[in-house]
Every structure is written in C-alpha cells, then in structure tokens.
Amino acid sequence: MTEERAENQYRLAQWYQNLRESSNPAFLPLFGDTHRYLVLKGGGGSGKSIFAGRKVLERVTAEEGHRWLVCRKVARTLRESCFQQLLGQLERHYQGVQYRASKTEPAIRFSNGSEILFAGLDDVEKLKSIYNITGIWIEEASELLEGDFNQLDIRLRGETKYYKQIILTFNPVSSQHWLKRRFFDRRDPLAAVHESTYKDNRFLDREAVRTLEGFRDTDEYYYMVYALGMWGVTGRSVFNAREVARRLEDNIQPVRRGYFTYEDDGRTLQNIRWEDDPEGFIKLYAEAAPGVPYVLGGDTAGEGSDSFAAQVLDNRTGVQVAALRHQFDEDLFARQVYCLGLYYNRALVGLENNFSTYPTMELQRLNYPKQYVRESVDDYTHRFKSSFGVWTGSKTRPAMLAQLIRAVREDVDIVCDRDTLQEMLTFVRGEDWKPQAERGAHDDCVMALAIAHYIRPQQSYLVQANQRPARWSPSQWEDYENASPEERERLIEKWGRPGNDGN
C-alpha cells in the first residue's frame, strides 16, 4: 500500500468517524441516498432539517460546481432559518473550508465553485433568474402547493457530474395534503421517504424534550402531529387517538414479512409456499399455532381506494396476527387470501362483497373450506337465502365499526400493525358524525379489521386439540376413491381426515 493511499484511507476513516459523532444514527444511511426525491417527514425537534442542511454542505464542499437552491414558501423566513442554520453548521463542522456568505442576497459561495442560493416561492422573479440548479432543499415543504413543487421540479434538469436530488423537510400537518398522496399513499420509485420524531434526535436538550412530551397531556393534537410526526386530521378521531399513538410508539415489528407463491393448474392451487421478502405485502405478527381458531376479514378495492386489505385475528383473543395490504387484481387477491387462510389453520374467511363478488366466488371455485355465510331475503321468493361473503350496508357497517371501536377501546394492544394504527388516527367523524376516513386518507385496513371482528361468532373460540377423526359417509368415500391425489388432499381439507377404519 502506497503512502498516499494510506493517507487517503485515513482521511476517509476520520471523515466518517466525525460524521457519525456529529449526526443522528437514524439519518446516517441517508447521506448516501441518491433518489431524486428525499422526503423527510417528522415531528418537531426530530433533527430532519439539521440533517438536510448537513447533507447539502457535504455535497457542496466535496463536489465542485454545485448550484444548490434552498427555498421556502415565503422568502423573508429563509434568512433567519435555513441561512443561519447553514452558517452555524459551516462554523462547527467545516472550519477548513473557504467560503463567502452574503446576507443581502442571501447566498453562500465556496472556493471550489459551488454555491448555495436562497429563494422564496413568493419571489417569482428572483426564482426565474436562478438557472442550472443541481440540487434543491425545500424547508417546510407542507407550506407549498403541489404546483409550486412541480415548478421547482422542472428546474432540476440538465446534465451534471453528480446525481440530482430534491430534499423535502416538513411536519405532517394534514392527512389531506398532497405530500401524503404523492409520496406516502403510493410507492414512487424515484422517492425515498423517511419518518422521524424527537426521539431520534440524541442532541435534543432535556428541556426541549420535556416541552414536547408535555403536550401529551395539554394538547393531544399538537403532540401527535408536532411531536410524534403523525398526519393531522380535521375531524374528531373515532378511536382514542392518545392510546393509538401510544401503541404506535411501541413500534411492533412483524415476525415475518413476505407473500405466498403457488402453482395454479386452473382448478386448484398446489405447492403453496411462503416467501420471505422485506418489502412483502403480508406481515405476520404471530405464527399459526396448532389447533388455534383464526378469522380473516377482507376489504376489497372499491370507491375511494385502489388497495385490497385483509386482517387475521386469533379468535380466542381478538389479537391481530397478520395483515395484508396491496394493489393488485381481484384474482390475485383471492389467491393470496386463500393461501393466508389455509396458513392460519383454515381460518374462517369473510370478504366484503359490496363492489365485487369475484374474490368470494374465486374462493368458492377453489373450494376454500370455510367462508363466512350471511343470510338475506331473496328479492324474488321473499325467502331467506344463504350467501358467502360480507355485505357492509347501512345496517351492518355501523354494527361492524361499533364492535371494532369497543374492542380497541377495551384493549388497543390487540392491534399490532403500523399501517392499521395510522389509519385509525385518520378515521374520523365528519360533520354528519358518520365514521369514515379523513378526506384524502384510506380506511382499507380499518374496514378489514372491522369485518374480521364482525365474523368472529361463526368461528370456534376454543383450541381444537386432539380432534376426533371425521366420519365420512359412503358417498364421500366414493368421491374420495375416484379423485386424483391432488383432489384427495382438497377433500381431506374440506371434510377433515377420516379414521383409520374408514368410518
């Protein structure tokens, strides 16, 4: 190893050590993030803006020729916020760097040709004069309209030596905000999203921590939004927001995450296998236990939503053990539900049928062994008829939600899934007092959970230990003998395994 190479490695190690010592661990991986959009949502005091400024400085000091734009909605707020913050960070962490700061423009220029420019979205003429931008930091991005953001986005174009990035930092003031819809409700391959709270900031002084935590008792809404970084709502929360927020702080992690694979011959699903995947759309919070009765409630994509959701409960306790939420076609949703139900001891499955009966019919075609049965009056004969699936109408929906609200009120710890808990925070009573998702928010997970609780009475509440062998009729035995090996397995799942004596 040459002396020059050893010196470079030593400097690199020193640089990284200094960065680790002066940064919060939650943000360290983001220094190397190269997505076009780096979206930093967080509560007050989380350190997101300090990180954003530090990353800007790391790049302009190490990479020559940058023209970074730092902006807010109102220009006059920049001088006392971002401009002063960056000057303070330069003084603390970049003492060997040569730069000139102009308070009149304002701007910061470096000896390597890089510069940081500042502009407000209210100063359109100045913004038009800024060109060849290589990076943008938008502070308090929630102040911007989506049109403002789009105008900035198109300015970040052209060839550069380095990757182009827009960093957005903001408090989640409203679940109706375009930032939530654009970056959090769907997965944008060009974006990396990061969430933080004051608990992620190890440099926050005790007095600031006490102030933020004091809002827990004095201003619940402020505590949720500005301390815990949760999306704000305008209506009254249906669920106990404080308890839901407390449960979110527990940060329960799934024991497994992934999805099911299978072979489909057009009639049945065979060779069903669980595939672990850290980005999988099914989260398991408890493995299936022998003999335990489970229920699975599902909400199909309909008006106001493009996602399917399913929830699995341990029917003895009502504890959530698995959650599914994804955007896919109806047949694929039905197949994943089929596999998930079998995985949890042939759980009782009830899917919402309001917008489409196809997933329920597909389960029936696949001979799923245990679907929820509802009774209704036939319009033609006026007699009671039995049908598979769940109908969430004007009479059943309030009953479903009432059961869920009561269950969560009595013990919020029965809910484990973060997506479900976050939906609970934005499930509100509007002006008509009807419980529903806040405008711009979703309720797929909440409704699937409500359905799961609603169908529980049709499932056993007891562990099925040492089950007696099933007794098959002669006609069942005849069907079994005439069936293929694959069909025989399906019949055993449907009817139960018979005794060794054939009775």
Side-chain angles (χ1 to χ4, degrees):
M1 180 183 294
T2 64
E3 183 175 339
E4 181 180 0
R5 183 179 178 186
E7 179 67 18
N8 288 337
Q9 288 193 347
Y10 174 77
R11 289 178 179 175
L12 183 62
Q14 285 293 106
W15 167 81
Y16 186 67
Q17 181 66 23
N18 290 337
L19 196 65
R20 287 185 60 185
E21 291 177 352
S22 57
S23 302
N24 285 305
F27 294 97
L28 273 176
L30 302 182
F31 279 105
D33 183 89
T34 60
H35 287 83
R36 181 175 179 86
Y37 311 115
L38 182 54
V39 187
L40 308 179
K41 160 183 168 286
S46 69
K48 59 188 181 298
S49 298
I50 296 297
F51 159 76
R54 187 72 185 275
K55 181 165 187 179
V56 171
L57 292 175
E58 283 293 320
R59 296 199 63 192
V60 297
T61 56
E63 301 166 356
E64 61 184 18
H66 267 301
R67 282 174 61 83
W68 267 84
L69 174 64
V70 179
C71 57
R72 288 186 64 169
K73 180 69 174 178
V74 180
R76 62 179 174 78
T77 61
L78 282 166
R79 188 171 280 103
E80 297 304 320
S81 58
C82 300
F83 183 68
Q84 290 298 327
Q85 176 192 313
L86 290 169
L87 290 179
Q89 288 179 299
L90 278 167
E91 184 178 346
R92 285 192 299 274
H93 306 299
Y94 302 89
Q95 294 181 1
V97 173
Q98 296 181 356
Y99 66 91
R100 291 181 295 106
S102 171
K103 293 184 178 181
T104 55
E105 294 186 57
I108 305 174
R109 295 183 172 86
F110 299 84
S111 59
N112 66 358
S114 291
E115 56 184 343
I116 303 175
L117 308 173
F118 299 81
L121 274 297
D122 58 339
D123 192 351
V124 179
E125 293 305 316
K126 181 175 181 179
L127 196 60
K128 288 180 179 179
S129 66
I130 300 176
Y131 54 90
N132 292 337
I133 299 300
T134 60
I136 301 174
W137 170 23
I138 307 173
E139 171 69 328
E140 301 295 350
S142 57
E143 297 175 345
L144 272 63
L145 300 175
E146 190 167 11
D148 297 332
F149 173 78
N150 291 336
Q151 286 300 314
L152 291 170
D153 197 10
I154 62 176
R155 288 187 167 277
L156 192 63
R157 63 181 184 272
E159 295 296 324
T160 66
K161 294 172 60 177
Y162 314 104
Y163 69 92
K164 298 185 285 291
Q165 187 172 71
I166 300 179
I167 304 174
L168 303 94
T169 52
F170 66 97
N171 298 118
V173 293
S174 172
S175 63
Q176 302 179 38
H177 205 280
W178 65 267
L179 284 166
K180 182 176 185 296
R181 181 181 66 254
R182 183 161 181 165
F183 294 115
F184 292 84
D185 289 345
R186 65 183 183 91
R187 186 178 296 277
D188 186 342
L190 298 178
V193 298
H194 184 270
E195 302 182 53
S196 57
T197 74
Y198 70 95
K199 297 180 182 181
D200 295 306
N201 187 357
R202 62 191 176 102
F203 303 109
L204 199 62
D205 61 72
R206 292 183 179 180
E207 183 178 354
V209 171
R210 284 196 300 268
T211 299
L212 286 168
E213 292 184 341
F215 289 116
R216 183 189 285 115
D217 299 319
T218 60
D219 192 330
E220 184 177 305
Y221 180 84
Y222 195 95
Y223 178 70
M224 287 169 49
V225 176
Y226 293 97
L228 299 183
M230 298 177 184
W231 292 105
V233 298
T234 56
R236 177 182 174 183
S237 297
V238 170
F239 301 94
N240 186 319
R242 181 179 299 178
E243 285 299 301
V244 173
R246 178 194 62 76
R247 183 58 169 161
L248 272 166
E249 290 184 80
D250 292 339
N251 195 27
I252 304 299
Q253 297 299 313
V255 296
R256 300 185 77 173
R257 184 166 184 169
Y259 54 88
F260 290 97
T261 61
Y262 47 80
E263 296 173 7
D264 184 0
D265 64 4
R267 296 181 303 162
T268 60
L269 303 186
Q270 303 172 29
N271 195 22
I272 297 172
R273 303 176 303 278
W274 170 265
E275 294 287 340
D276 285 314
D277 183 342
E279 299 297 323
F281 49 81
I282 301 178
K283 291 172 280 185
L284 308 184
Y285 293 94
E287 291 282 5
V292 171
Y294 296 97
V295 296
L296 185 158
D299 185 54
T300 56
E303 291 181 354
S305 174
D306 54 5
S307 295
F308 290 86
Q311 305 276 11
V312 184
L313 308 180
D314 181 333
N315 206 44
R316 302 169 303 170
T317 60
V319 172
Q320 181 186 38
V321 297
L324 175 158
R325 188 175 189 271
H326 195 54
Q327 299 176 358
F328 38 21
D329 294 332
E330 291 181 300
D331 60 326
L332 299 180
F333 171 65
R335 286 165 172 75
Q336 289 294 322
V337 166
Y338 176 92
C339 298
L340 187 60
L342 291 183
Y343 189 88
Y344 280 97
N345 300 342
R346 297 189 295 170
L348 172 69
V349 171
L351 302 183
E352 177 263 331
N353 280 355
N354 288 43
F355 300 100
S356 175
T357 59
Y358 182 84
T360 294
M361 293 172 62
E362 183 66 3
L363 288 181
Q364 187 176 2
R365 186 188 69 80
L366 293 170
N367 291 316
Y368 186 79
K370 200 168 188 178
Q371 286 204 70
Y372 174 80
V373 178
R374 73 179 190 278
E375 284 193 345
S376 58
V377 178
D378 188 282
D379 292 336
Y380 181 73
T381 65
H382 302 291
R383 295 178 180 175
F384 281 100
K385 65 177 182 179
S386 297
S387 306
F388 287 133
V390 179
W391 185 264
T392 55
S394 58
K395 294 182 180 179
T396 56
R397 187 178 186 274
M400 292 176 189
L401 290 172
Q403 289 182 30
L404 178 59
I405 292 167
R406 177 183 177 183
V408 174
R409 183 179 66 242
E410 292 178 349
D411 185 7
V412 71
D413 290 351
I414 63 174
V415 186
C416 305
D417 180 57
R418 185 172 186 82
D419 290 339
T420 306
L421 289 163
Q422 288 180 331
E423 277 193 11
M424 285 179 173
L425 287 177
T426 56
F427 198 74
V428 301
R429 296 189 188 277
E431 294 181 359
D432 59 0
W433 209 242
K434 179 183 177 182
Q436 57 194 338
E438 174 89 346
R439 183 181 175 185
H442 296 281
D443 64 1
D444 315 293
C445 296
V446 168
M447 289 309 303
L449 192 61
I451 291 171
H453 278 273
Y454 181 74
I455 68 175
R456 289 181 65 191
Q458 280 194 20
Q459 174 66 299
S460 170
Y461 292 94
L462 302 175
V463 173
Q464 304 299 306
N466 300 320
Q467 289 182 326
R468 297 179 61 186
R471 294 181 63 85
W472 286 3
S473 68
S475 62
Q476 286 176 309
W477 274 107
E478 182 179 354
D479 290 344
Y480 179 79
E481 295 296 338
N482 293 330
S484 67
E486 293 81 6
E487 290 171 333
R488 288 183 176 184
E489 286 301 314
R490 290 295 307 123
L491 292 175
I492 289 173
E493 289 180 355
K494 184 175 181 180
W495 298 333
R497 190 171 297 277
N500 292 331
D501 59 359
N503 295 314

